[in-house]
Amino acid sequence: MSTQAMHRKSITTARYLTLSIIFAQWNTSSIDNNFASALITGHCARCNVHHILPTTQEATHAAFDLRRRMIESGRIDVDELKLRLHHGDNKDILQEHLDPSLSIERLYERRGKMFGILVCQVPDNYNSSSYSSEMSSGDTVILKAYAGKLGGSWNLPGWSPIIGQVPESLPIFCQLRDEVTKLFDRIDAANALIAEGSSLQLQKGTNENERKVEHLTKKRASLATLALDEVRRHQLVTNFRGDTYRPLTTIYSRGPTKLPGGTGDCAGPKLLAEAARLGLRPTGIAEIFIGATGGMSSGKGDGVLYDACKDRCEQIAGFMLCGFDGV
């Protein structure tokens, strides 16, 4: 696949004319209650400005329409399937090879997920030869993203990709991950001996195995940290000012040692990174929760818009948004 084709794959919808037809069909009466102050924001140390990208009506419409299309079709990958049909793929063959992990039922049977929409404008000085000849100055482009993995995949066609590289593609990460897995097995085996020794009142052997578990647990934690560091080493982002690509660890506003796991994996940062890479200017964002609540999703409601999270997204958004508003 050519570089140009790869860039084109990440663009979900182009052309404002197409969008305006879709907007005319939306029922906005069900949106007002959920349309609050959802946004992504962050302080930028570079220019000492608190950048704010709001959730506009246009982004809100696009987010609710994405949810509607998913539910009505029963497919999370509804847009990609329609695109394949438009390009001449056989409908019956597509139906036979549908990925069950991308069924909308997965979001409602298990737990839901955050999805994001970013409405962008193609700038006047846009160089179409750099990314996609399908976009022209003045066009409105909509990007979409999901938080974390979807259907077991970090990257799926039609969605904004992961920031950095897929961890499983990094040899050092894979080596460390395998070592961590082996240590889990050794710890489980030692714990089993501890339980057996306790039942037989073999105190000396029990103490030795407890020390072994403590040692292996510390080693496991150390290797897991190294594996995470390897992933973060490849998580490079720029902004709309065109600054040099920098690791997330250097732009996290609370300091590199405070960076929590999962930073950069949410929908919002993925969207900003992709828009900056494509040379687009964001005008509005909307992040919507789709699916069942409960468990880890107990604090969110199906079909409700939410601000970007404070501990992860807000701490890197200041740098990533820099330049989008002309400041």
Side-chain angles (χ1 to χ4, degrees):
M1 180 183 295
S2 67
T3 302
Q4 187 178 27
M6 289 176 65
H7 285 302
R8 188 178 299 124
K9 269 187 164 295
S10 66
I11 300 172
T12 309
T13 310
R15 307 300 175 187
Y16 184 78
L17 179 60
T18 302
L19 289 173
S20 63
I21 294 174
I22 296 175
F23 290 161
Q25 299 172 348
W26 283 331
N27 178 6
T28 60
S29 61
S30 63
I31 293 178
D32 294 339
N33 291 335
N34 291 313
F35 179 67
S37 61
L39 46 76
I40 186 167
T41 182
H43 182 265
C44 176
R46 184 190 190 282
C47 55
N48 197 29
V49 169
H50 204 84
H51 299 294
I52 300 175
L53 178 62
T55 292
T56 60
Q57 285 286 352
E58 192 173 20
T60 301
H61 293 329
F64 277 90
D65 197 57
L66 173 63
R67 178 176 177 271
R68 178 191 62 79
R69 295 196 306 273
M70 286 183 180
I71 293 175
E72 290 182 357
S73 66
R75 300 292 305 176
I76 300 173
D77 55 348
V78 53
D79 296 331
E80 291 65 52
L81 293 175
K82 286 184 177 180
L83 184 62
R84 291 180 63 179
L85 288 172
H86 177 74
H87 288 166
D89 283 17
N90 184 280
K91 182 177 181 180
D92 293 333
I93 294 177
L94 278 180
Q95 288 291 331
E96 291 177 6
H97 296 88
L98 290 177
D99 185 346
S101 68
L102 297 180
S103 168
I104 192 69
E105 293 178 356
R106 294 297 182 95
L107 297 179
Y108 287 92
E109 290 176 349
R110 300 181 181 181
R111 72 180 189 209
K113 179 174 287 293
M114 288 296 299
F115 291 85
I117 288 289
L118 188 69
V119 180
C120 304
Q121 187 173 34
V122 181
D124 292 338
N125 59 348
Y126 185 76
N127 183 0
S128 61
S129 62
S130 300
Y131 298 108
S132 173
S133 59
E134 295 181 353
M135 296 190 295
S136 302
S137 298
D139 283 348
T140 293
V141 176
I142 292 181
L143 304 178
K144 62 181 184 178
Y146 52 84
K149 287 184 175 182
L150 185 60
S153 298
W154 288 108
N155 292 333
L156 288 172
W159 300 83
S160 297
I162 187 175
I163 294 178
Q165 296 187 30
V166 174
E168 291 77 12
S169 70
L170 304 172
I172 294 178
F173 169 84
C174 292
Q175 178 185 343
L176 293 168
R177 176 202 58 192
D178 293 344
E179 292 182 30
V180 169
T181 301
K182 292 177 182 178
L183 286 173
F184 268 111
D185 294 338
R186 292 177 64 185
I187 292 170
D188 288 342
N191 280 324
L193 291 174
I194 291 172
E196 181 181 347
S198 297
S199 64
L200 297 176
Q201 297 183 344
L202 301 177
Q203 191 61 42
K204 181 178 180 181
T206 298
N207 290 340
E208 290 179 357
N209 283 309
E210 287 176 344
R211 287 192 292 270
K212 182 178 181 180
V213 168
E214 183 180 0
H215 169 72
L216 293 176
T217 300
K218 289 181 179 179
K219 185 176 181 180
R220 181 192 66 191
S222 177
L223 291 178
T225 299
L226 290 176
L228 182 58
D229 289 343
E230 175 64 10
V231 173
R232 287 175 172 167
R233 191 169 68 86
H234 293 84
Q235 289 182 310
L236 307 176
V237 293
T238 184
N239 53 28
F240 300 95
R241 194 183 292 275
D243 286 342
T244 303
Y245 275 82
R246 295 172 56 183
L248 290 182
T249 51
T250 67
I251 68 169
Y252 189 75
S253 63
R254 294 176 180 171
T257 61
K258 304 292 185 180
L259 190 72
T263 301
D265 294 339
C266 294
K270 287 184 178 181
L271 290 167
L272 295 180
E274 182 69 348
R277 184 181 70 84
L278 292 172
L280 303 174
R281 185 178 69 83
T283 59
I285 191 170
E287 295 190 68
I288 185 171
F289 185 83
I290 302 176
T293 59
M296 293 178 66
S297 306
S298 58
K300 292 183 171 61
D302 180 35
V304 179
L305 301 179
Y306 291 93
D307 290 352
C309 60
K310 292 185 179 297
D311 291 337
R312 294 177 175 84
C313 300
E314 187 173 311
Q315 309 309 317
I316 60 176
F319 172 83
M320 297 186 72
L321 285 169
C322 188
F324 95 95
D325 49 6
V327 176

